[in-house]
Amino acid sequence: MPDLPPARPGPAASGPAAGGHSDDEALAALGYKPGLKRTLGNFHTFAAGISYISILTGTFQLFYFGVSFGGPAYWWSWPMVFVGQLMVALCFCELAARFPVAGSVYNWSKHTGGPHIGWLAGWMMTVATMVSLAAVALAYQLTLPQISSVFQVVGDGTGKYDAAANAVLLGAILIVFTTLVNAFGVKLMATINSAGVAVELVAAVVLVILLAANITRGPGVIVHTNGFGQGQTLGYFGAFLTASLASAYVMYGFDTASSLGEESIDPARNAPRAILRALVASFILGGLILLFALLATPDLNSKQLSTEGLQYVVKAALGKTTGQAVLWCVAIAITVCALSVQTAGLRLAFAMARDNNLPGGSRLARLSPRFRTPVLATVLIGLVAIAILVVNINQPQIFSVVTSIAIALIYIAYLLVTLPLLRQRFRGEWTPAPGRFSLGRFGLPINILAVLWGTLMTINLLWPRASVYNATDPQHWYLRWGGVLFVGVVGVGGFAYYWFVQRKHTGVVAEHAVPDLPEPHEAHGAP
């Protein structure tokens, strides 16, 4: 039997922004009937994308990592990652305009690369979301105990495993909260998320101004390497590639703006705009925060810079009271980031389950009659993310390991979108949605750059560095190769399950399929 029923003939994108009818017709053209609530406007979709990227969460969580491995010159990885991710985002904009449907990465790769590639991309992204949710939740540990010692529940923070164990506890509490919010409906999620994003954006602008007002040195500092890379095979370039992971962690997840396509008004028009706005806003504000932090920190050689990171800079440069106010805003940003990550993963899992492409697909895709959300899938994602935390409860290097694996999985999933799209362009099979976002003649070179960037960055992320995957003794080969092994097991093992088991049952479940329409003669009662 075929892996997926062919999409019904119809328009490739939704019609003018006249409301839900044209959007639902576009959904029906892809073979699905409306099930999720279509209530989200422009700011909601923008907020979903920018809260996943989360300027404050990413910069405050990984600043210490970048400085520790690349010194002040690591700042240049920020524009480098932005340019690479912009190429990917531009490709995504064309896809979002043509396929305004939930589960962006899964559905995009399914329609450009076929059902097998689509399944693999969706599977990698689903696992990445759960790992990413765990990684984001860990950011609480880097912020809350700096606000008050009350948040250091496990020990006093000086024990070997105090920080890692406390991170798991705080992270689990956060995941329980995001799971409950996502279960109670998209409107509640969007309200909390939008309010949190508004706070984050205002706080980011204020932080840029405050840091700029406390500058103690000139911009020439961002070319200083502080001696990193000396004695290494690749010199500072090798150190810079390691430090660049700090920037790579921040600028992804912009596709979330399109993952809410079935809950947004006129998503074919609004999602591409939201994707680009979220990425550009994050680049500008995040870049300025990192730059002015390097210029305002009292001591670039302080050990606290590579242990406490940006939290130390804020408190040292702005004073305890102002610094703590900023850190509360960071905590809010972490909260809505985790909420958005789970929201995106939930829509992806729902889209795959709706095609019966996950075990128990019909149950996972079942919507709550009251909240119109897939509650079982929501709870499952939350439980797996907490389990990932618990497994690593006594691992001091938990932050860098979980973060690196999450990013690598997402970059691979993105590659499984841009590669099939590039193949279609070479074959002349790709046609953007009429009257919607289009790259025109720049589509091919941008797509090539997106694939090259994704490939090189995936290699960089998975490179078996002891500093990332086995930062503390004892040294073990399986820890150092942990990223490659984990991604390999997830990819090969998952696809083997799909090929031998799941693909035999795939197809849109009855609850979500557009019913077959009667032929014209049947509708008139003709024999």
Side-chain angles (χ1 to χ4, degrees):
M1 62 177 296
D3 286 278
L4 282 174
R8 292 170 175 270
S14 60
H21 288 300
S22 57
D23 296 331
D24 291 345
E25 289 169 3
L27 185 61
L30 296 173
Y32 308 112
K33 66 181 181 182
L36 301 171
K37 272 189 177 180
R38 196 178 292 280
T39 58
L40 307 182
N42 289 347
F43 185 76
H44 290 129
T45 54
F46 164 75
I50 203 167
S51 61
Y52 196 126
I53 298 173
S54 193
I55 313 156
L56 295 184
T57 301
T59 54
F60 274 79
Q61 189 175 8
L62 270 297
F63 177 80
Y64 84 93
F65 185 91
V67 173
S68 297
F69 290 100
Y74 111 89
W75 182 87
W76 291 101
S77 67
W78 189 260
M80 177 191 78
V81 171
F82 168 72
V83 172
Q85 291 296 75
L86 179 61
M87 300 299 103
V88 177
L90 288 169
C91 293
F92 283 8
C93 286
E94 274 196 334
L95 289 160
R98 183 168 175 184
F99 305 113
V101 63
S104 51
V105 167
Y106 163 67
N107 272 304
W108 295 341
S109 57
K110 181 182 73 177
H111 285 286
T112 56
H116 306 324
I117 298 297
W119 188 91
L120 185 58
W123 170 246
M124 298 291 274
M125 195 69 182
T126 299
V127 175
T129 297
M130 293 184 286
V131 178
S132 224
L133 179 56
V136 170
L138 288 171
Y140 260 0
Q141 177 62 25
L142 297 177
T143 301
L144 292 181
Q146 300 247 21
I147 296 174
S148 171
S149 59
V150 172
F151 294 108
Q152 184 62 45
V153 181
V154 180
D156 59 2
T158 59
K160 182 178 181 180
Y161 299 120
D162 285 1
N166 199 67
V168 171
L169 176 62
L170 295 179
I173 293 171
L174 174 57
I175 292 171
V176 169
F177 169 75
T178 60
T179 300
L180 290 173
V181 172
N182 271 302
F184 285 136
V186 69
K187 194 63 178 177
L188 175 63
M189 181 282 300
T191 300
I192 294 174
N193 191 60
S194 297
V197 166
V199 171
E200 181 175 7
L201 290 174
V202 171
V205 172
V206 170
L207 180 58
V208 167
I209 295 172
L210 291 175
L211 288 173
N214 287 274
I215 286 176
T216 60
R217 60 183 61 81
V221 71
I222 60 174
V223 299
H224 292 176
T225 64
N226 284 8
F228 286 101
Q230 291 182 2
Q232 295 184 19
T233 304
L234 297 177
Y236 182 72
F237 181 65
F240 179 79
L241 288 178
T242 302
S244 69
L245 303 187
S247 297
Y249 173 69
V250 185
M251 281 184 278
Y252 69 88
F254 37 81
D255 57 292
T256 306
S258 60
S259 282
L260 298 172
E262 293 177 39
E263 294 149 284
S264 306
I265 298 170
D266 197 14
R269 184 181 300 277
N270 293 330
R273 297 173 180 174
I275 289 172
L276 291 180
R277 287 170 181 168
L279 183 60
V280 171
S282 298
F283 164 68
I284 294 172
L285 289 174
L288 290 176
I289 289 173
L290 295 176
L291 174 62
F292 292 145
L294 290 168
L295 303 186
T297 185
D299 182 8
L300 278 173
N301 297 312
S302 171
K303 290 184 178 179
Q304 288 176 288
L305 199 64
S306 57
T307 56
E308 300 176 20
L310 204 50
Q311 288 86 338
Y312 156 74
V313 176
V314 167
K315 292 171 71 174
L318 306 183
K320 184 176 181 180
T321 302
T322 304
Q324 284 195 330
V326 171
L327 292 184
W328 274 115
C329 293
V330 173
I332 293 173
I334 294 168
T335 303
V336 295
C337 179
L339 182 61
S340 182
V341 169
Q342 189 168 10
T343 299
L346 174 59
R347 270 58 188 174
L348 188 67
F350 167 76
M352 293 187 71
R354 181 172 57 182
D355 285 345
N356 205 24
N357 259 330
L358 289 176
S362 59
R363 291 187 293 274
L364 289 174
R366 189 168 298 145
L367 300 176
S368 163
R370 180 178 178 184
F371 302 114
R372 307 307 297 166
T373 56
V375 175
L376 179 59
T378 306
V379 173
L380 182 62
I381 289 175
L383 289 176
V384 173
I386 291 175
I388 292 171
L389 294 181
V390 172
V391 166
N392 293 279
I393 197 167
N394 286 329
Q395 299 297 326
Q397 64 265 41
I398 183 174
F399 297 101
S400 59
V401 172
V402 173
T403 297
S404 298
I405 289 174
I407 309 169
L409 286 168
I410 288 175
Y411 270 74
I412 292 171
Y414 282 3
L415 264 176
L416 292 172
V417 174
T418 54
L419 264 173
L421 179 61
L422 181 60
R423 184 183 65 175
Q424 283 205 348
R425 290 188 195 277
F426 276 126
R427 292 180 174 181
E429 297 172 355
W430 172 249
T431 304
R436 293 292 188 246
F437 186 94
S438 173
L439 295 173
R441 66 179 183 276
F442 297 106
L444 182 59
I446 287 174
N447 203 157
I448 291 174
L449 290 174
V451 170
L452 288 174
W453 161 254
T455 302
L456 294 174
M457 202 60 190
T458 298
I459 295 172
N460 186 33
L461 286 163
L462 291 178
W463 199 260
R465 300 179 178 90
S467 56
V468 174
Y469 293 105
N470 199 173
T472 58
D473 289 330
Q475 297 292 314
H476 297 291
W477 71 269
Y478 53 84
L479 290 178
R480 187 163 181 170
W481 287 85
V484 175
L485 292 173
F486 185 87
V487 171
V489 169
V490 169
V492 176
F495 193 77
Y497 167 79
Y498 165 75
W499 185 263
F500 293 108
V501 180
Q502 195 63 43
R503 74 185 181 101
K504 300 173 184 177
H505 309 289
T506 200
V508 181
V509 299
E511 179 185 349
H512 297 282
V514 175
D516 291 328
L517 297 176
E519 295 297 327
H521 66 277
E522 294 176 344
H524 289 87

